[in-house]
Amino acid sequence: MQEQKMTWGQALKVYLKPRVLTMFFLGFSAGLPLLLVFSTMTAWLRDYGVSRTAIGFFAWVGITFSIKVLWAPVIDYLRLPGVTRWLGKRRSWMLVSQFGVALGLLGMGSLDPTMALTQVALLAVWVAFWSASQDVVIDAYRIESVDTELQGAMAANYVFGYRVALLVAGAGALYIAEFANWSISYMAMAGLMGIGVITTLLIAEPDHQSILDRAEHFQHEWVDRMLGSGEHGPLKEWFVKAVACPFIDFFQRNGRFALVLLLFIGIYRVSDIAMGVMANPFYLDLGFSKADIANIGKVFGFVCTILGSFLGGVLVVRYGIMRPLILGAAMVAATNLLFAQLATIGPDIKWLAIVISADNISAGISNAVFIAYLSSLTNQAYTATQYALFSSLMTLPGKFISGFSGIVVDAQGYAEFFIYVAILGTPAVLLATYLWWRDKRKTAGAEPATG
């Protein structure tokens, strides 16, 4: 986490590195399935006359993405017969996951929801499972492919590709369904998974064998500690190596301070996530038209998010991770005060553009920097499992708190709600500042020993 010193020109050139460029295509592959088992799928079901009650149950498909940490150890540890020998540890799982998503989408496109709703539901879970698995392995590949200082740029390109995929799977799929039909739309989306397949076949496998060799001694040590030095059953030994060791490693490396790190991961995005569910209702209640929300909130907001993500990546290269981490937390919290101001001004289109641009640029910066920070916390011997834990934890508190957002708005109004959400972001700013101070002090203390 040591801070870097580069010129702005050198920082911008990181986006021309081949492995950084490939993250756009892997991000596209990761983002494409998401809406096809969420909002796009619900539009398809409703268009076929499926009841709203039945459609509501399909929201449970999303639980798959929240529990991916449960099978991340399998992805980290299990070699796929034949495929791993050919492509390597990460690319083999990446390719299998992409084919799993594509086959699921083809299956969904071949069904009529009014005649086979159960089959559609099962295939949606299948697509979500392989999509979440792809997320796990792409995150692991991203972390293992480059050094820490390039993680911000890798995250920015990943977000760019992911966002483009959301547009394609959202608006693009709806356009195809409008001018053709839903079957062709889903089959076209399955075909676009070929972008990820081709990228997987072209990229190089990260060199992580030396790291795995060092981890093997650590794993054997803990197998002996937990199971004894005699003969062990293969299932018990696998559990210790693949499931227990990633968590033991994280707590052993960080000691009791690991709890502080997990707390920070949980609260960093609370301010951002807690307000998100109220954004569109706020715009509508304030008097903005759906066209205003689409043009400024979605299209203009998309551009601002991408701009913020790329800026976040450059800041990480230029200044290291810690100072941009503080900046991102402060900006996300502060932009809620702009929402509070907009609530008192009313439906002013210029103010809406200011608020949207500030909010999305801030979110882009904070997301890119935070992904880089989480990546720096992982041990590359257990990348998939540890990062899956972090990525699940980082959204959980915010999602829980957001469930109470409507109660606060109904009781006190939008302006007060956004002020409260801004205050919710304060602990993240303070803790990020403490982590920066601690990292700086730790680095300064190590300097004499290296001289």
Side-chain angles (χ1 to χ4, degrees):
M1 288 185 239
Q2 186 175 357
E3 299 182 359
Q4 308 295 314
K5 294 296 182 182
M6 280 192 181
T7 66
W8 286 102
Q10 289 173 323
L12 288 168
K13 283 182 180 178
V14 300
Y15 287 107
L16 300 178
K17 293 181 178 291
R19 285 199 169 177
V20 176
L21 289 172
T22 59
M23 286 310 301
F24 169 82
F25 301 103
L26 292 178
F28 182 90
S29 183
L32 192 69
L34 183 65
L35 295 186
L36 299 175
V37 292
F38 285 106
S39 60
T40 299
M41 181 179 66
T42 59
W44 170 38
L45 298 178
R46 192 58 187 155
D47 198 31
Y48 271 73
V50 176
S51 70
R52 283 184 286 267
T53 300
I55 291 173
F57 289 123
F58 274 80
W60 289 345
V61 173
I63 295 173
T64 310
F65 291 90
S66 300
I67 60 173
K68 60 189 178 183
V69 68
L70 296 180
W71 65 89
V74 177
I75 294 174
D76 242 344
Y77 194 79
L78 183 65
R79 294 174 63 87
L80 298 172
V83 189
T84 301
R85 183 186 295 272
W86 171 39
L87 293 174
K89 179 181 177 181
R90 298 309 182 195
R91 294 165 67 216
S92 58
W93 273 103
M94 213 179 291
L95 188 68
V96 169
S97 299
Q98 289 158 351
F99 272 114
V101 170
L103 289 174
L105 294 176
L106 285 173
M108 292 175 72
S110 67
L111 296 174
D112 181 342
T114 60
M115 304 294 292
L117 189 60
T118 301
Q119 290 90 325
V120 170
L122 291 173
L123 283 171
V125 173
W126 168 275
V127 170
F129 170 79
W130 286 113
S131 177
S133 301
Q134 183 187 210
D135 290 347
V136 169
V137 72
I138 288 178
D139 284 332
Y141 172 84
R142 172 178 52 76
I143 295 167
E144 294 169 356
S145 294
V146 297
D147 294 332
T148 300
E149 63 268 17
L150 297 183
Q151 288 298 332
M154 295 283 277
N157 262 1
Y158 177 84
V159 170
F160 185 22
Y162 202 97
R163 291 281 181 167
V164 171
L166 293 182
L167 285 179
V168 172
L174 290 173
Y175 278 127
I176 296 173
E178 177 70 21
F179 293 108
N181 56 56
W182 282 106
S183 177
I184 292 176
S185 178
Y186 266 74
M187 290 183 178
M189 296 299 111
L192 287 175
M193 285 301 297
I195 293 174
V197 171
I198 293 170
T199 304
T200 300
L201 293 174
L202 292 177
I203 59 179
E205 178 75 4
D207 182 15
H208 41 60
Q209 189 57 49
S210 60
I211 297 170
L212 295 179
D213 290 340
R214 291 197 299 271
E216 190 172 350
H217 174 73
F218 176 80
Q219 292 169 349
H220 285 304
E221 177 187 345
W222 278 97
V223 166
D224 290 341
R225 283 193 188 186
M226 299 178 74
L227 302 178
S229 56
E231 291 292 325
H232 321 113
L235 185 59
K236 290 182 179 179
E237 186 171 333
W238 174 85
F239 182 85
V240 173
K241 289 182 177 180
V243 180
C245 281
F247 299 98
I248 293 170
D249 165 78
F250 177 70
F251 280 92
Q252 193 174 74
R253 283 189 291 116
N254 297 288
R256 287 179 294 180
F257 193 70
L259 296 175
V260 177
L261 294 175
L262 293 177
L263 173 65
F264 178 63
I265 292 168
I267 68 172
Y268 187 79
R269 292 193 59 201
V270 163
S271 179
D272 179 29
I273 296 172
M275 64 79 61
V277 70
M278 281 291 114
N280 283 337
F282 168 62
Y283 301 144
L284 291 170
D285 290 344
L286 207 59
F288 290 108
S289 69
K290 296 182 183 66
D292 291 334
I293 298 171
N295 293 334
I296 298 179
K298 305 303 180 185
V299 179
F300 181 62
F302 168 80
V303 174
C304 289
T305 299
I306 299 306
L307 176 63
S309 297
F310 278 99
L311 182 56
V314 172
L315 288 172
V316 170
V317 176
R318 180 71 174 83
Y319 297 109
I321 293 177
M322 301 312 296
R323 283 189 286 177
L325 196 67
I326 302 170
L327 175 66
M331 289 179 68
V332 166
T335 52
N336 284 288
L337 299 178
L338 293 178
F339 278 96
Q341 180 67 16
L342 180 60
T344 63
I345 292 174
D348 185 313
I349 200 72
K350 291 181 180 178
W351 255 97
L352 178 64
I354 292 171
V355 171
I356 291 294
S357 60
D359 181 53
N360 284 272
I361 289 173
S362 300
I365 290 174
S366 64
N367 285 344
V369 175
F370 195 47
I371 290 172
Y373 178 70
L374 297 183
S375 302
S376 73
L377 295 179
T378 63
N379 180 340
Q380 291 190 9
Y382 311 107
T383 316
T385 303
Q386 291 181 354
Y387 193 86
L389 169 67
F390 300 154
S391 61
S392 298
L393 181 61
M394 72 179 179
T395 59
L396 187 60
K399 285 183 177 179
F400 176 76
I401 292 173
S402 68
F404 301 99
S405 58
I407 298 174
V408 177
V409 171
D410 287 341
Q412 299 198 21
Y414 280 112
E416 289 78 6
F417 166 72
F418 288 119
I419 291 172
Y420 294 152
V421 174
I423 294 172
L424 276 179
T426 306
V429 178
L430 296 176
L431 195 47
T433 304
Y434 168 71
L435 291 175
W436 167 74
W437 171 82
R438 185 177 184 272
D439 184 71
K440 189 175 181 180
R441 183 182 173 190
K442 188 176 179 181
T443 304
E447 282 177 359
T450 60

